[in-house]
Amino acid sequence: MNPKYQPFFDTFRFRSGVEVKNRLVMAPMTTYSGNPDDTVSKGELTYYARRSRGVGMVITACTYVTANGKGFPGEFAGDRDEMIPSLRSLATAIKEQGAKAVLQIFHAGRMSPPELVPHGKTVSASAVAAEQQGAPVPSELTDAEIQDIIKAFGETTRRAIEAGYDGVEIHGANGYLVQQFFSPHSNRRNDHWGGSLEKRMRFPLAVVDEVKRVVAAHAKQPFLIGYRFSPEEAETPGITMADTLVLTDALAQKELDYLHVSLMNFWSTPRSAEGTRSETRLELIQKQVAGRVPVMGVGSIRTADEALQAFETGVPLLALGRELIIEPEWVEKVQNGQEADIQVEIDKNDQARLDIPDPLWHAILHTPGWFPISQKV
């Protein structure tokens, strides 16, 4: 191995006591590939096991915490105890390869396709549709329903503990329910759960508190809690960088194991006027947390040198998403001095070689701009 890449391979111990063998993480990515009964499929187990051999930690695709929170076809369920064996099969497949297994837990809110949720009824903080063609107007959640969903995040965390995971990641990013409560676009309430920035933070922080309570009550060994968020929204009104820095400060006080910043590009800068445009979103967030909680960076890191440049900004953890789909042996190739052989484009003939399940492969090929696809004939 080239010595300059050694920082990737230093061990890291989280606040909870969970220790990972290196600083590289598989980012959570939807597979669309679960079984019709919402259990984890054999194809998914093979896909995850292949990509768990090199990284220190794998964050799974999201699992939904209530029936009306399902966000994708082929999403595996975490909303009831009968799903614990399914969840356990995935944790085992990851851990057998030497990586820590983290279950991402979420509720899609107004982003749920109506055909995937009971009675076609989508829900959110307020009865405001997403800004996309044909988006349904969701029902505004009552206070009792909100409390039930908060408890459901805790119950799915308990299932993760019983299934043998090493932690959970609360999905507060990408426009789903936790973010919908924080966003002034989707949260127009004037009660305990909305109406000011402070009140819009209450649901995300209540979810964090409930997950922490459940971990304290049920985990018999170190169990980590992470939180993923998107720094800004394109909508008006929408989440601004200034809003996010207030949330980041509140999250940094919660003694979480890490904050995971959801970005398509690690080096992206704020879209809004706050801050200086010379500073990236990640730099502003790092400055705000001031070492109180580890920050995980992600976004369009393809080569080993790009990863090294990202680490040099001071982030202690780096998640690889699409790159691990394109190159499952990314970590091993760097470790073995073969970083020049890392593939950075996906070949249309490579599905079987890469152990990618059919639904995910179809999505890769038919979602323009998502993956770099080789044009070689």
Side-chain angles (χ1 to χ4, degrees):
M1 181 181 70
N2 188 320
K4 71 179 181 178
Y5 300 127
Q6 180 56 46
F8 301 171
F9 299 99
D10 293 339
T11 60
F12 186 83
R13 181 179 290 271
F14 292 96
R15 185 194 302 266
S16 60
V18 173
E19 184 171 292
V20 289
K21 64 185 179 183
N22 61 48
R23 306 300 185 93
L24 300 167
V25 177
M26 180 175 173
M29 292 174 288
T30 302
T31 67
Y32 311 100
S33 301
N35 291 320
D37 65 354
D38 295 344
T39 56
V40 177
S41 67
K42 289 183 179 179
E44 286 178 300
L45 296 178
T46 302
Y47 160 87
Y48 275 106
R50 173 81 178 273
R51 290 160 177 82
S52 300
R53 294 171 191 160
V55 294
M57 187 168 87
V58 171
I59 306 170
T60 72
C62 54
T63 189
Y64 56 93
V65 301
T66 64
N68 65 359
K70 186 173 183 179
F72 307 95
E75 181 185 352
F76 60 85
D79 65 324
R80 50 202 185 276
D81 282 1
E82 66 193 71
M83 291 298 164
I84 292 174
S86 163
L87 297 174
R88 184 179 294 119
S89 71
L90 180 52
T92 301
I94 293 167
K95 294 171 72 169
E96 283 180 345
Q97 302 302 322
K100 299 298 183 183
V102 175
L103 183 68
Q104 191 185 63
I105 56 177
F106 106 134
H107 190 296
R110 69 180 184 180
M111 303 306 290
S112 292
E115 66 272 16
L116 296 184
V117 296
H119 314 297
K121 180 184 174 183
T122 61
V123 298
S124 187
S126 298
V128 179
E131 288 188 357
Q132 59 188 44
Q133 188 172 7
V137 177
S139 296
E140 179 172 303
L141 289 161
T142 66
D143 184 76
E145 290 170 332
I146 292 168
Q147 297 289 354
D148 286 344
I149 290 173
I150 292 167
K151 290 175 183 173
F153 272 94
E155 281 293 279
T156 301
T157 299
R158 174 185 57 78
R159 295 179 191 111
I161 293 168
E162 293 181 17
Y165 285 86
D166 298 291
V168 293
E169 179 177 277
I170 299 164
H171 194 351
N174 302 1
Y176 300 118
L177 185 66
V178 175
Q179 180 174 325
Q180 287 164 31
F181 268 89
F182 183 53
S183 168
H185 183 275
S186 41
N187 186 347
R188 312 287 176 95
R189 305 175 73 100
N190 286 297
D191 62 358
H192 178 78
W193 302 107
S196 66
L197 176 60
E198 179 187 12
K199 290 181 178 179
R200 285 189 278 114
M201 290 196 299
R202 283 180 174 167
F203 180 82
L205 297 178
V207 170
V208 169
D209 288 343
E210 178 65 7
V211 168
K212 287 182 64 178
R213 185 191 68 79
V214 168
V215 170
H218 293 276
K220 305 275 194 300
Q221 55 193 24
F223 189 90
L224 65 80
I225 304 169
Y227 186 101
R228 194 177 206 215
F229 62 93
S230 298
E232 293 181 284
E233 290 180 323
E235 293 87 356
T236 302
I239 296 168
T240 66
M241 200 68 214
D243 292 340
T244 285
L245 293 178
V246 176
L247 175 64
T248 301
D249 189 62
L251 291 169
Q253 297 176 45
K254 290 293 183 181
E255 298 188 337
L256 296 168
D257 287 279
Y258 67 84
L259 298 181
H260 187 182
V261 188
S262 182
L263 295 170
M264 284 295 287
N265 189 313
F266 183 95
W267 303 102
S268 66
T269 54
R271 67 168 67 241
S272 47
E274 295 87 353
T276 61
R277 293 193 64 81
S278 62
E279 290 183 293
T280 68
R281 289 160 164 156
L282 269 167
E283 285 171 332
L284 290 168
I285 289 163
Q286 283 270 84
K287 187 184 296 184
Q288 184 74 6
V289 303
R292 289 175 291 167
V293 59
V295 175
M296 185 184 300
V298 70
S300 301
I301 302 296
R302 301 191 301 166
T303 67
D305 282 340
E306 287 173 349
L308 185 60
Q309 187 181 7
F311 269 111
E312 287 171 349
T313 68
V315 292
L317 299 158
L318 190 65
L320 302 172
R322 289 163 292 177
E323 192 48 44
L324 282 176
I325 294 181
I326 298 169
E327 179 57 88
E329 281 74 45
W330 195 100
V331 180
E332 295 97 310
K333 284 188 175 181
V334 175
Q335 202 158 19
N336 296 331
Q338 300 171 303
E339 61 273 5
D341 298 331
I342 288 173
Q343 300 296 311
V344 295
E345 292 182 327
I346 209 158
D347 189 289
K348 291 182 179 180
N349 301 309
D350 274 358
Q351 181 186 3
R353 183 182 69 80
L354 296 174
D355 291 319
I356 298 175
D358 286 344
L360 177 56
W361 184 252
H362 185 270
I364 288 169
L365 295 186
H366 295 90
T367 307
W370 187 22
F371 274 73
I373 297 176
S374 172
Q375 299 304 314
K376 291 184 293 186
V377 179

